[in-house]
Amino acid sequence: MAGGGPRAGTPADPRLLRERLRVVAAPPGRLRLSAPRAAGCAACGARAACGGAAASGPARLLEIACPPDLAPRPGDEVEVALSGGRFLAAVGLAYLLPTLAVVIAAGAGLALELPDLGVALLCLPALALSLIPLALAGRGEGLAEALRVEALHPAGPSGPDPCGP
């Protein structure tokens, strides 16, 4: 199928997840970005008084590779993109695999007619073992390295200092 739509990984690909993040520092070949942790209700008018928003915590710093043709400065914003498939794989490792492991272990314990305490004790190592693939996926080229810079949005020129020189 030649030319049948956008290729995965191109800017026109609708399966890309995009976000604008602020540049904190730009060491050679790298970018340090501020990634705020927003609650699911980020657009809510009661966000200032919301305990869920307060529990989401402070911004986290992400470090990713900087394209050679980009010259960002601290304060600029960059648009980063992540493949939807890569995101779903990480979500599956983080949520689906542990859930399946516990359900299978509990089912096996019930099939063996173990008491409730025995079933619970059987689920604990199953849960621990199911988290190993997620830990291994986070090493080396983790999800942060899968982020790709799509666009640079320079910070606007700062106005005159109201306090004077």
Side-chain angles (χ1 to χ4, degrees):
M1 182 172 163
R7 289 189 351 255
T10 62
D13 183 11
R15 294 173 292 183
L16 287 177
L17 302 171
R18 292 183 176 84
E19 183 72 28
R20 280 175 74 156
L21 302 174
R22 186 166 309 279
V23 176
V24 175
R30 306 294 293 167
L31 282 176
R32 278 196 202 106
L33 306 171
S34 175
R37 293 181 178 165
C41 53
C44 178
R47 180 168 170 77
C50 178
S56 66
R60 186 175 82 118
L61 289 181
L62 266 179
E63 189 166 321
I64 64 171
C66 180
D69 59 338
L70 202 66
R73 296 182 323 259
D76 291 348
E77 289 187 340
V78 291
E79 185 174 329
V80 294
L82 176 68
S83 162
R86 186 75 184 255
F87 176 74
L88 287 177
V91 167
L93 282 176
Y95 296 104
L96 187 60
L97 186 61
T99 303
L100 285 175
V102 169
V103 167
I104 290 170
L110 292 174
L112 293 172
E113 297 181 3
L114 295 176
D116 290 346
L117 181 61
V119 172
L121 291 175
L122 186 62
C123 290
L124 289 176
L127 177 62
L129 289 174
S130 70
L131 295 174
I132 292 173
L134 180 64
L136 293 176
R139 292 184 180 196
E141 190 173 306
L143 201 55
E145 288 299 319
L147 290 172
R148 188 176 70 244
V149 177
E150 293 280 316
L152 172 65
H153 303 281
S158 59
D161 187 3
C163 297

